[in-house]
Amino acid sequence: MVAKKLLSLLMFGVVCHCSWSIAEDDGRYYGLEPREKFEIRLGAFLADDYDTSLRLDSNRFILGGLIDFEDDLNLDANDSAWRVDGFYRFNERHRMSFNVYSSRRDGKTSIDRGLSIGAPGGLPGFEFPLNAQVSSKMDYDLVRLGYDYSFINRRKFEAMVGTGVNFRHLDVEAAYQINVGDRKRGQAFGAEEWLPLPVVGMGGRWNFTDKLQANIRFDLFYLQFDNYEGYYQEALLNLEHNTFEHFGFGLGLNFGDLNLRGREDDIRGEFDSRTQALVGYMKYYF
């Protein structure tokens, strides 16, 4: 969380510096064709610190049940996944961007204490008995489409604001088996949902040399409708090197925080997911 705040402050400083740099020069653009009109990045997302939890409460009780998927169910806290990013720039001011990302995690464990999602007193829930063999999985997919407006775009630096929509697919499953005498007893629960979520963001670019540049971006959303509420924030900082005429390489840091809350009848629930990851990729551009 501290790293994300520092990254946000750094991005704010970059934008302020770009604005100050043009204070003595009214030219926000060069009137030249952008150096990179099209770019596509293909790489890997190497997460090393997932933190995911699910809770169900009753409106009639103060606290329900909480399950930490990594600690309680041994869901993979580390993950490697593929990722594709890119953009097409119409001119020096306007561009369309996209991101596609997919993560698959699973885990197996034997729990040494009873776990439950839900609360007593009639709240629907799910219980994992003591010594049960538990298997779980969490699949997460993201497709983002966005528009960015570069209000400053010079050869040396760029600052932009943007908007777009994220389509997020979340599929969570957990099941257990336990021996009762010479018989096995088991139960499973799961939830799957596509979530279209609008986002706004800002970002910037700084060219150290003709080949080496740094990019920074921060996206967020807050959405509330009916009995549902959620927010998401993501920060990305990367360093790119245009090694060849149309090919280059990049390395970056990615931080994300997702929180969803909902309520139906006598039940309210909350889902939290936080991650930090290293991103490595190669890019093609022209």
Side-chain angles (χ1 to χ4, degrees):
M1 296 297 291
V2 174
K4 283 192 292 184
K5 291 180 180 179
L6 291 175
L7 194 56
S8 300
L9 290 174
L10 176 61
M11 181 189 62
F12 179 75
V14 169
V15 173
C16 289
H17 177 74
C18 292
S19 301
W20 178 262
S21 297
I22 65 169
E24 299 179 356
D25 182 0
D26 292 336
R28 292 174 179 263
Y29 312 97
Y30 277 107
L32 303 175
E33 281 293 322
R35 184 178 300 178
E36 296 180 13
K37 188 172 184 179
F38 171 81
E39 178 177 301
I40 185 167
R41 306 169 184 166
L42 177 61
F45 179 89
L46 309 174
D48 63 354
D49 190 19
Y50 273 106
D51 183 8
T52 313
S53 62
L54 175 66
R55 190 182 79 200
L56 288 178
D57 297 330
S58 168
N59 292 328
R60 296 175 292 165
F61 297 90
I62 297 176
L63 182 64
L66 172 69
I67 286 187
D68 186 301
F69 281 82
E70 289 77 23
D71 292 342
D72 295 329
L73 302 185
N74 198 35
L75 194 69
D76 292 335
N78 304 320
D79 182 39
S80 60
W82 60 269
R83 175 171 179 150
V84 180
D85 306 87
F87 66 80
Y88 176 78
R89 187 182 293 278
F90 299 98
N91 51 45
E92 58 193 1
R93 296 175 177 159
H94 309 285
R95 76 176 194 177
M96 299 296 296
S97 59
F98 71 90
N99 311 88
V100 181
Y101 161 75
S102 183
S103 171
R104 300 289 184 267
R105 295 191 290 149
D106 55 42
K108 291 185 178 181
T109 189
S110 176
I111 59 173
D112 56 7
R113 63 186 179 90
L115 297 174
S116 65
I117 300 177
L123 173 67
F126 187 89
E127 295 186 359
F128 298 93
L130 177 67
N131 297 323
Q133 299 294 318
V134 179
S135 61
S136 59
K137 80 162 191 175
M138 182 173 295
D139 295 343
Y140 181 68
D141 303 291
L142 166 69
V143 178
R144 176 188 177 275
L145 302 174
Y147 162 77
D148 298 314
Y149 172 73
S150 299
F151 58 91
I152 304 171
N153 194 355
R154 308 294 297 271
R155 286 297 190 194
K156 187 73 174 178
F157 51 80
E158 179 181 14
M160 68 184 73
V161 294
T163 185
V165 60
N166 285 356
F167 298 93
R168 299 174 182 272
H169 174 243
L170 184 63
D171 185 6
V172 181
E173 294 182 10
Y176 75 83
Q177 279 193 344
I178 189 170
N179 294 323
V180 181
D182 58 351
R183 306 178 66 179
K184 289 187 177 182
R185 179 168 63 90
Q187 193 177 359
F189 86 93
E192 182 177 7
E193 193 69 46
W194 273 99
L195 304 170
L197 301 170
V199 295
V200 295
M202 60 187 302
R205 164 186 57 81
W206 183 269
N207 286 76
F208 299 102
T209 68
D210 287 342
K211 290 183 175 293
L212 183 64
Q213 69 181 42
N215 300 283
I216 190 168
R217 185 174 184 91
F218 181 73
D219 285 325
L220 63 88
F221 83 82
Y222 175 81
L223 184 65
Q224 183 174 13
F225 66 95
D226 293 334
N227 295 323
Y228 298 91
E229 185 179 15
Y231 73 83
Y232 177 76
Q233 54 183 343
E234 180 178 22
L236 175 64
L237 172 66
N238 59 34
L239 194 65
E240 290 186 355
H241 190 271
N242 296 333
T243 311
F244 306 106
E245 184 177 0
H246 295 293
F247 289 93
F249 301 90
L251 189 67
L253 296 173
N254 194 187
F255 303 91
D257 187 359
L258 173 66
N259 177 271
L260 300 172
R261 298 182 293 276
R263 183 176 61 192
E264 291 185 1
D265 299 327
D266 292 332
I267 308 170
R268 64 181 185 269
E270 184 170 355
F271 176 82
D272 281 291
S273 179
R274 298 180 180 89
T275 185
Q276 60 185 35
L278 180 68
V279 180
Y281 57 89
M282 58 182 180
K283 73 171 194 175
Y284 171 74
Y285 67 95
F286 62 79

